[in-house]
Amino acid sequence: VLAERAAEWNWLIAGYGPECPKIKQRIRECGLEKRVRLLGHVDYYQLPKFYSQADAYLQPSLCEPWGLAVNEAMACALPVVVSQQCGCHEDLVQENVNGFKFDATEPESMGTALDRLLASKYRWRDMGVTSKAIIAHWGLDLYSQSLWQACEKALSPVSTGTGSRIAESLV
């Protein structure tokens, strides 16, 4: 079933890590050598060129605190398919608006998300425009405001129930 679904896609996979030999083997086992291109290490300045070759972005992480590549893909106006194990999915992915979410621990869930993406092919451009609009708010201004608020909260007096104040020991 996965090989049938994969026939609808051409894949670019950037990066190199310890799982690369297993990925190459799996590509051969599924007969996808003509549909999957492993790019290896890609310098940061080259990323926009590869994003511009894509119709959509897939982040299949099993464990990812945030997933900055999702931000990059969205800034390049791509619809995104992001695992629920990727920390950014709650903040950045609006289901069926700019992309889709799936459970990376359930392979069929990813297949369903990709099927949904393929079924919405006529909306990919609009989904990408929405991605770009969503991520536009995640710039330095938001970061600096959030950092400032976090510092204020960390330094504000906190009651421990005994009348002492934790923040006093930090200053």
Side-chain angles (χ1 to χ4, degrees), residues 11 57-63 70 80-86 89-90 93 95 99-117:
W11 300 89
Y57 178 79
L58 171 65
Q59 180 80 26
S61 301
L62 287 169
C63 178
V70 177
V80 294
V81 179
V82 180
S83 76
Q84 294 168 350
Q85 287 72 17
C86 187
H89 85 274
E90 291 181 16
V93 184
E95 192 70 23
F100 301 95
K101 304 173 190 181
F102 66 95
D103 184 346
T105 64
E106 298 177 16
E108 192 59 35
S109 178
M110 184 173 90
T112 299
L114 290 173
D115 287 344
R116 293 181 69 204
L117 179 66

Side-chain angles (χ1 to χ4, degrees), residues 76-144:
C76 291
L78 292 175
V80 294
V81 179
V82 180
S83 76
Q84 294 168 350
Q85 287 72 17
C86 187
C88 70
H89 85 274
E90 291 181 16
D91 295 306
L92 300 182
V93 184
Q94 296 177 13
E95 192 70 23
N96 202 27
V97 176
N98 75 313
F100 301 95
K101 304 173 190 181
F102 66 95
D103 184 346
T105 64
E106 298 177 16
E108 192 59 35
S109 178
M110 184 173 90
T112 299
L114 290 173
D115 287 344
R116 293 181 69 204
L117 179 66
L118 190 57
S120 63
K121 189 173 186 171
Y122 66 97
R123 296 188 306 115
W124 286 358
R125 187 178 184 315
D126 293 337
M127 292 172 82
V129 168
T130 301
S131 282
K132 193 167 186 170
I134 291 169
I135 205 63
H137 301 290
W138 289 80
L140 288 176
D141 287 339
L142 178 63
Y143 174 79
S144 60

Side-chain angles (χ1 to χ4, degrees), residues 9 15 22 30 32 45 47 58 63 70 82 84 119 123 126 139 145 149-150 155 159 168:
W9 302 96
K22 290 180 187 176
C30 293
L32 297 173
Y45 73 89
L47 288 175
L58 171 65
C63 178
V70 177
V82 180
Q84 294 168 350
R123 296 188 306 115
D126 293 337
Q145 290 170 3
Q149 290 171 354
L155 295 174
S159 173
E168 289 177 354

Side-chain angles (χ1 to χ4, degrees), residues 4-27:
E4 291 171 15
R5 284 182 173 146
E8 299 289 335
W9 302 96
N10 290 308
W11 300 89
L12 295 176
I13 300 176
Y16 185 87
E19 296 296 315
C20 192
K22 290 180 187 176
I23 292 169
K24 287 179 180 180
Q25 178 183 345
R26 189 70 178 138
I27 291 168

